[in-house]
Amino acid sequence: MEGIAEYPLLVCMVSFTILWLCARLGRFFFLKQGKPEKELREDFNIILAATLTLLGLIIGFSFSMAADRYDQRRYYEEAEANAIGTEYVRADFMPEAPANQIRELLKGYLDQRIAFYLAKDDSELAQITARTTGLQAELWFAIRAPAAAQPNSIMALVVSGMNDVLNSQGYAQFGFWNRIPKGSWALMLAIAIGCNLLVGYGSRSVTAGTRLLPILPLLVSVAFMLIADIDAPRHGFIRVRPQNLKSLADSLDPNRTATSPAK
């Protein structure tokens, strides 16, 4: 379900279909076997309540995991903006020619980082990654010669700032790769299937039971959709917006055009 988890609406539709069919299957077994004895009914109710409680705990735990990863991506975006902005200022300690070159490279690099957060298409993301890698090499090459010519504590500060810029990109990429494990999705789905089978089997009234069967599958599917939405960094409705990076880009270049990749 990990590939499907990239698309929250698809998660909702697929999970609802599976869970509703499971509830119908449980209902079919109930109608085929007839009403259980009173003692069996009491034991069944205990098992159903325990299973529903377990499902709620697993959904809550998975939601917490997704929320933590979303907050992590927001933190890395803010840290990346701070690193780029700090290095842009520290370029003042360098000679004028390499300082101007590094500032221009940082502006282009900043646009690519903004585009990284806004990209949805895999081919577009691959192009952004290639351009980002090239700009990282140019940034390091631009700072290497001045640092070797002036090996002092001030230049070491500038080099350290460039390291922070390059490292922050790796942290941000990790935040996009750090997702809810497949095992968690499989466990949630398995428990949800068991719950709906039990709910379908435990429905007593033929007419009312049939009408109420879609309720639990719908609620669980909506919960799955919300978890997938928060966990999906690119295809969900709840996404990390590069607000700090955009604010930094606007402050560095107030005359940025609407055709910039940051828009």
Side-chain angles (χ1 to χ4, degrees), residues 108-156:
Y109 182 75
L110 182 56
D111 285 338
Q112 295 305 314
R113 297 309 301 150
I114 296 174
F116 169 81
Y117 281 87
L118 299 178
K120 292 184 177 180
D121 184 72
D122 291 338
S123 60
E124 178 187 3
L125 183 61
Q127 296 176 4
I128 293 171
T129 302
R131 289 194 295 266
T132 300
T133 303
L135 284 170
Q136 287 177 336
E138 292 183 43
L139 283 167
W140 187 251
F141 181 80
I143 202 174
R144 184 176 59 184
Q150 298 178 341
N152 52 47
S153 58
I154 295 179
M155 191 57 66

Side-chain angles (χ1 to χ4, degrees), residues 37-123:
E37 300 177 359
K38 183 178 180 180
E39 294 182 358
L40 181 60
R41 167 64 67 176
E42 293 176 354
D43 293 339
F44 173 84
N45 290 337
I46 294 175
I47 295 174
L48 177 60
T51 308
L52 290 173
T53 301
L54 179 60
L55 176 62
L57 289 174
I58 295 297
I59 289 177
F61 178 71
S62 299
F63 179 84
S64 178
M65 291 174 60
D68 288 343
R69 283 157 172 75
Y70 175 79
D71 290 337
Q72 186 182 62
R73 291 192 290 270
R74 291 180 57 189
Y75 169 78
Y76 287 146
E77 188 271 338
E78 179 184 0
E80 190 167 12
N82 290 336
I84 296 174
T86 299
E87 183 62 12
Y88 189 91
V89 175
R90 288 181 181 178
D92 292 339
F93 294 117
M94 301 181 64
E96 182 177 0
N100 291 334
Q101 180 185 8
I102 288 177
R103 290 192 192 98
E104 291 303 316
L105 288 173
L106 283 174
K107 288 180 181 179
Y109 182 75
L110 182 56
D111 285 338
Q112 295 305 314
R113 297 309 301 150
I114 296 174
F116 169 81
Y117 281 87
L118 299 178
K120 292 184 177 180
D121 184 72
D122 291 338
S123 60

Side-chain angles (χ1 to χ4, degrees), residues 202-214:
S203 57
R204 301 183 182 184
S205 172
V206 176
T207 305
T210 303
R211 291 201 303 264
L212 296 177
L213 279 183

